[in-house]
Amino acid sequence: MDGFESASKKALAFLRRKLGFQMCMVTRTEGNDWAVIHRDDQGYGVAPGDVFNWGDSFCSEMVEGNGPNIAPNSSLVPVYAAAEIGRKIPIGAYIGVPLLLSDGRLFGTLCGIDPRPQPDSLADNQDLIELVGSMLSTILQMELKADEEERRAERYQAQAMTDALTGLYNRTGWDQLLVKEEARYQRYRQSSVVIVVDLDGLKYANDRFGHAAGDALIKRAATALLKASRADDVVARLGGDEFGIIGVNCDLEGGLALCERMKLALESEGVNASYGLAATNKTIRISHALTLADQAMYQQKRQKKSA
């Protein structure tokens, strides 16, 4: 096993065969999204990347302590019998344990389901299931720590690809880091947001006061965007008066908060700008989110001009 993905797939295959279940999964929770990262499925038709409603799941009740880790007959557990997901797919038996990050926060779950109730002896496997869950949590934590170090190394290397005027990443650095963050999304299904910022007053500043004033405006904007962003975020000058930000491991709600911080920071520097925001999900990758954010920014700019 050379990492979390390999360990997960081997663990799922082992548990599914050991328990005789139709499907076992490793999942990721983020807000109310419950995404399948890996699965060993022999009948449910679930694919990696599928996203379900966390609040509808057995796992959400298990994590809250409202239901057991093992339910040989899930219909006998009131919260499982009432769970919405049971109305969509047949679940006769269930197992589940949380997968935790190093700070104790929930990453997701290791779980399994079968359409048929199982013998009560299924509960004898609790120690085994908890051990496998603990093992996967440990491997995940080690891999994410290594991933943090890798991200720092990427940012250090990308420092050579900076914009001379602002010191931010240039378009080449942006493109390179975007590919890296996309690969991380594929591994862990941790969402990110893309924000595109376009300055409203650059042409006026250049025409009225000269290019030195325009350059000063761009530098003030860069300072504001760096101040409002977080340590892991990617902030780049994409060209001219356009900037891009990747909010790393950030959902839509966090992205809206990040965008609002940037707006306030820019206003404090006397900079007016138009914004576009898009978040990744099952069908929207970071590169696509960039296109959507760019479109949203231009739509806002057009609305300003027509107002």
Side-chain angles (χ1 to χ4, degrees), residues 28-29 98-108 140-141 190:
R28 163 75 176 158
T29 65
L99 299 178
L100 302 177
L101 298 170
S102 57
D103 60 3
R105 288 182 297 119
L106 182 69
F107 172 84
L140 172 67
Q141 292 164 16
Q190 293 174 304

Side-chain angles (χ1 to χ4, degrees), residues 122 132 282:
L122 179 68
V132 173
K282 178 185 174 182

Side-chain angles (χ1 to χ4, degrees), residues 222-292:
T223 298
L225 294 175
L226 278 176
K227 180 180 178 181
S229 62
R230 304 163 306 161
D232 286 341
D233 295 338
V234 178
V235 184
R237 184 183 178 200
L238 302 183
D241 57 355
E242 188 173 55
F243 298 83
I245 300 93
I246 301 175
V248 175
N249 297 341
C250 184
D251 60 13
L252 182 57
E253 182 179 357
L256 290 170
L258 175 59
C259 197
E260 183 62 23
R261 290 199 306 273
M262 290 181 173
K263 180 180 178 181
L264 293 174
L266 286 167
E267 289 176 350
S268 72
E269 292 286 346
V271 179
N272 295 318
S274 298
Y275 308 83
L277 168 70
T280 60
N281 58 32
K282 178 185 174 182
T283 58
I284 298 175
R285 302 294 180 252
I286 292 182
S287 57
H288 188 197
L290 173 60
T291 300
L292 294 176

Side-chain angles (χ1 to χ4, degrees), residues 3-283:
F4 181 65
E5 180 177 1
S6 174
S8 294
K9 290 178 178 179
K10 286 180 169 60
L12 294 175
F14 166 75
L15 283 178
R16 196 193 60 74
R17 291 194 302 268
K18 170 74 174 175
L19 304 177
F21 270 34
Q22 198 168 93
M23 182 171 67
C24 290
M25 302 185 296
V26 166
T27 71
R28 163 75 176 158
T29 65
E30 193 168 54
N32 206 36
D33 285 345
W34 185 40
V36 178
I37 299 181
H38 308 297
R39 59 89 179 93
D40 192 310
D41 181 13
Q42 299 296 314
Y44 278 98
V46 171
D50 285 351
V51 179
F52 302 94
N53 191 311
W54 172 243
D56 292 346
S57 69
F58 286 16
C59 285
S60 66
E61 300 292 351
M62 177 273 296
V63 166
E64 292 296 324
N66 299 327
N69 297 106
I70 299 180
N73 187 339
S74 60
S75 67
L76 300 180
V77 180
V79 292
Y80 294 163
E84 186 65 26
I85 198 167
R87 307 180 196 282
K88 300 174 181 177
I89 58 175
I91 305 176
Y94 165 79
I95 63 162
V97 290
L99 299 178
L100 302 177
L101 298 170
S102 57
D103 60 3
R105 288 182 297 119
L106 182 69
F107 172 84
T109 62
L110 165 68
C111 60
I113 55 176
D114 193 84
R116 302 171 301 278
Q118 300 294 315
D120 290 342
S121 59
L122 179 68
D124 297 339
N125 293 285
Q126 175 133 353
D127 288 346
L128 172 63
I129 295 166
E130 289 179 349
L131 177 63
V132 173
S134 177
M135 176 196 73
L136 289 181
S137 290
T138 299
I139 293 172
L140 172 67
Q141 292 164 16
M142 293 173 62
E143 188 167 295
L144 287 175
K145 185 173 183 179
D147 195 64
E148 288 179 9
E149 296 299 323
E150 181 183 0
R151 180 179 279 127
R152 291 193 188 99
E154 291 166 3
R155 304 300 166 82
Y156 181 78
Q157 293 168 359
Q159 285 178 0
M161 293 173 284
T162 55
D163 172 61
L165 179 63
T166 64
L168 302 179
Y169 297 117
N170 60 21
R171 186 60 187 249
T172 301
W174 165 271
D175 289 342
Q176 184 177 102
L177 294 174
L178 185 146
V179 170
K180 299 290 187 181
E181 294 303 330
E182 179 60 51
R184 290 189 177 94
Y185 176 80
Q186 294 298 326
R187 289 202 299 271
Y188 308 119
R189 301 290 167 178
Q190 293 174 304
S191 67
S192 296
V193 297
V194 176
I195 300 171
V196 173
V197 179
D198 191 88
L199 308 187
D200 289 339
L202 181 62
K203 186 177 186 304
Y204 176 82
N206 284 332
D207 293 345
R208 180 76 182 273
F209 304 108
H211 286 281
D215 287 350
L217 181 66
I218 290 171
K219 287 194 283 188
R220 293 203 309 275
T223 298
L225 294 175
L226 278 176
K227 180 180 178 181
S229 62
R230 304 163 306 161
D232 286 341
D233 295 338
V234 178
V235 184
R237 184 183 178 200
L238 302 183
D241 57 355
E242 188 173 55
F243 298 83
I245 300 93
I246 301 175
V248 175
N249 297 341
C250 184
D251 60 13
L252 182 57
E253 182 179 357
L256 290 170
L258 175 59
C259 197
E260 183 62 23
R261 290 199 306 273
M262 290 181 173
K263 180 180 178 181
L264 293 174
L266 286 167
E267 289 176 350
S268 72
E269 292 286 346
V271 179
N272 295 318
S274 298
Y275 308 83
L277 168 70
T280 60
N281 58 32
K282 178 185 174 182
T283 58

